[in-house]
Amino acid sequence: MTQPNIILILADDMGFSDIGCFGSEIATPNLDRLAAGGARFSQMYSFARCCPSRAALLTGLHPHQAGVGHMVANCGTRAYQGYLRDDAVTIAEVLKGAGYRTLMSGKWHTGGQLLAQEPEAWKPGTEGFPTPQQRGFDRFYGTLAGAGSFFYPHALTENGEFVQDYPDEFYYTDAISDKAIDMIDEARQDDMPFFLHLAYTAPHWPLHAWPEDIAKYEGAYRGGWDSLRQQRHEELNSLGLLDPTWRISPRDADSHPWETAVNTDWEDLRMATYAAMIDRMDQGIGRILAKLDALDINDDTLIIFLSDNGGCAELMAEDGWRDHRSYVPRLPDGTRVQIGNRVELKPGPADTFMSYDLPWANASNSPFRLYKHWVHEGGISSPCIVHYPALIEAETICHSPAQFIDVLPTFAELAGADYPDEYNGNAIQPFEGESLLPALGGSDWRREKPLYWEHEGNRAVRIGDWKLVSKHPGAWELYNMLDDRTELNDLSGGERERVAMMSLMYAAWAARCEVRDWPLD
C-alpha cells in the first residue's frame, strides 16, 4: 500500500462538546465534513493538561515516561524534567525514518519553560530546551511556549529564528493554517509523503478573536450556561455519541444558576468570543482541506483531530493572577494589556487578556464532571475525528476507549515505519499504546491494556468498563463506565475487592513510570 500523508490536528483547551459533530452550536462545517466521511471516537482520552498530553501524543508514552510528568519546568527527575526525554522518540522521528517529510505548525510546549516576561532566559536548542527540529521535524513554524497573545504571541519562531515583527492583520490561528498550507506545497514538490502536526492554540485563553467572528455569535448565549449544557447533552444523545441512559452531571457546585448571573450581556460576549476562536480554527482547517482537494490527495491523507484536554475553568483574576509571567504586559506600541475578566471591557481585542471561566467550561464539557487538570471525564474526554477514505468506507462511531498514546503506533503501522530500539545512541522505551487501525477498518476493536492517568496527584486507572479515579487529595471513587460514564454513582463502598485490585495496579504503574507524590518537593 502506498504510504499515506498524515495530518494530526490538535486543538488547545477545547471541551468535549465544543464542535458541531460533537453536539455544539458552534459552526464547524469543515470538522463536521471530516466526521461525515470518517470515524468518531466517543471515548478518546487525553492526559488532562496541555504539555503532558502533547508529550504523550508525540511519543506514544505516558507523560512521565516522556519527561513531562507535570509541566515544562524542570522538577529534578527525568520523569519531571519538563522536556522530551532522549529515551523517547517522537512521531516525527519515527516517520522520518520511513521516508516522510515532517512538518509542524503551531504550539510546541514540550521543550522547557519559556515565560513571556523572561526573554533573557529563552535558550531554545540548548540542553533542556529541545526544539521541534531537534526532535524530528524538518520544518517548524510556531510558538515554543504555552499560552499567549493571539495577536502578538511570544517565543514565536520559524525554522530556528525568532519572529520579531508581526504583519498587519496578524492573528496566530490564521498564521498556523497559512504556514501549514505552505509546508504542504513544499512537501508535494519533493514528491514525498508528509506528516503534518497542526497544533493550534485556539481556544486556549486569552479570549482573542476577530470582531467579525465574534459578531456571528453575539447574542447566541443569552440563554445561559445551564440551558447550553442541556442542549448539548441532548444533541450528543441524538448523534449516538452517548448512551441516553447516562444522566447529565449536575451543574458544578462552584458555578451558579444563570438566573442569578449579573452582567449577562458580557457573559454572552465571553462565550461568543470563545466560539469565534473555534470558528476561526475551523475556517483554517477548511483552507487546508481545500489545498488537499486541489492537489488531489484528500483520499490519500489520514487526518486525526483531537483536543489536548477538557474545557478550562481557570479564572483570569484582575489582581494577583498567579501566572502573570505568561503574558506580554504591553503591546508593541506601548499600550498596556489589561489582564483579568473585567466586566467594563469587551473580550476579543489584543489589549485584553480574559478567560471564559468555570460556568461556561462546565457547558463545554457537557455532560461530564470537572475540567482540564482533573482526570474525571470532563478533564480527559477529547472529541476525536479520524478521516481516511482509503480505509474508512462509511461514517462510523467507535465507542471503545482509546488514549493519546495509541496515535503513534497507529501512524507507524499505517506508514510501514519501524519503531526503533535505539535512536541517536540512546536505548528507546517501547511505546505504550495500541494501534487503532483495526477500529478504523471496521472490526470490533477493544483496547487490551488498562488506561492510566496522573496529573498533580489526580489519578485514575480504567480496566474495561471500570474506572477508579481520585481528585487530589480525595479518596478513590469507582464507576462502571458502561452504566455511568458521567460518574454520578460511586460504587467504591460495595466493591472493595475491585478497588483494592485496581489501586494495586495503579501503584505498580506509578512506580514503573516514576510518578511522585503531589505536591512535588
Side-chain angles (χ1 to χ4, degrees), residues 148-162:
S149 171
F150 282 75
F151 298 102
Y152 303 99
H154 71 279
L156 178 63
T157 70
E158 184 164 17
N159 295 324
E161 299 294 330
F162 282 113

Side-chain angles (χ1 to χ4, degrees), residues 164-185:
Q164 303 294 337
D165 299 313
Y166 301 93
D168 293 340
E169 301 301 305
F170 179 91
Y171 183 69
Y172 189 32
T173 302
D174 292 338
I176 290 171
S177 303
D178 293 340
K179 290 293 182 178
I181 292 169
D182 293 343
M183 291 178 190
I184 291 171
D185 271 331

Side-chain angles (χ1 to χ4, degrees), residues 64 69-70 75 77 79-80 454-459 472-473 476 506-507 509-511 513-521:
H64 312 77
H70 179 226
C75 297
T77 71
Y80 294 87
E454 189 279 336
H455 181 68
E456 293 190 351
N458 304 298
R459 53 201 172 130
H472 181 77
W476 285 117
Y506 173 83
W509 168 83
C513 294
E514 302 173 31
V515 175
R516 289 161 57 187
D517 291 338
W518 186 261
L520 303 176
D521 293 335

Side-chain angles (χ1 to χ4, degrees), residues 148-263:
S149 171
F150 282 75
F151 298 102
Y152 303 99
H154 71 279
L156 178 63
T157 70
E158 184 164 17
N159 295 324
E161 299 294 330
F162 282 113
V163 175
Q164 303 294 337
D165 299 313
Y166 301 93
D168 293 340
E169 301 301 305
F170 179 91
Y171 183 69
Y172 189 32
T173 302
D174 292 338
I176 290 171
S177 303
D178 293 340
K179 290 293 182 178
I181 292 169
D182 293 343
M183 291 178 190
I184 291 171
D185 271 331
E186 292 176 12
R188 295 306 295 169
Q189 291 173 9
D190 294 338
D191 196 30
M192 297 170 65
F194 65 82
F195 164 58
L196 168 65
H197 184 25
L198 190 61
Y200 289 102
T201 54
H204 195 297
W205 50 254
L207 295 176
H208 282 169
W210 291 122
E212 61 267 29
D213 290 334
I214 298 172
K216 293 168 62 175
Y217 297 96
E218 188 170 0
Y221 296 103
R222 291 194 179 121
W225 41 70
D226 294 321
S227 64
L228 184 64
R229 292 184 72 233
Q230 191 63 46
Q231 290 165 16
R232 290 189 176 187
H233 182 224
E234 292 170 1
E235 184 64 17
L236 282 160
N237 283 333
S238 70
L239 291 170
L241 288 162
L242 301 178
D243 185 329
T245 65
W246 297 338
R247 292 179 295 130
I248 190 171
S249 61
R251 180 196 313 113
D252 191 289
D254 290 328
S255 182
H256 54 278
W258 176 254
E259 288 74 18
T260 66
V262 294
N263 305 304

Side-chain angles (χ1 to χ4, degrees), residues 62-142:
H62 292 101
H64 312 77
Q65 296 171 305
V68 190
H70 179 226
M71 297 289 280
V72 288
N74 192 330
C75 297
T77 71
R78 64 178 184 173
Y80 294 87
Q81 65 185 26
Y83 59 94
L84 296 180
R85 285 165 48 170
D86 290 336
D87 59 353
V89 286
T90 67
I91 294 171
E93 288 166 335
V94 171
L95 295 185
K96 193 169 184 177
Y100 275 71
R101 285 278 286 171
T102 53
L103 319 167
M104 181 174 177
S105 184
K107 173 177 172 176
W108 178 232
H109 206 204
T110 52
Q113 190 167 45
L114 287 80
L115 298 169
Q117 296 194 39
E118 299 177 4
E120 69 282 353
W122 300 352
K123 298 177 182 178
T126 63
E127 179 68 25
F129 298 92
T131 66
Q133 287 171 295
Q134 291 174 307
R135 295 310 311 247
F137 287 97
D138 296 315
R139 285 285 312 276
F140 172 65
Y141 171 86

Side-chain angles (χ1 to χ4, degrees), residues 41 185 319 470:
F41 282 71
D185 271 331
D319 300 299
S470 169

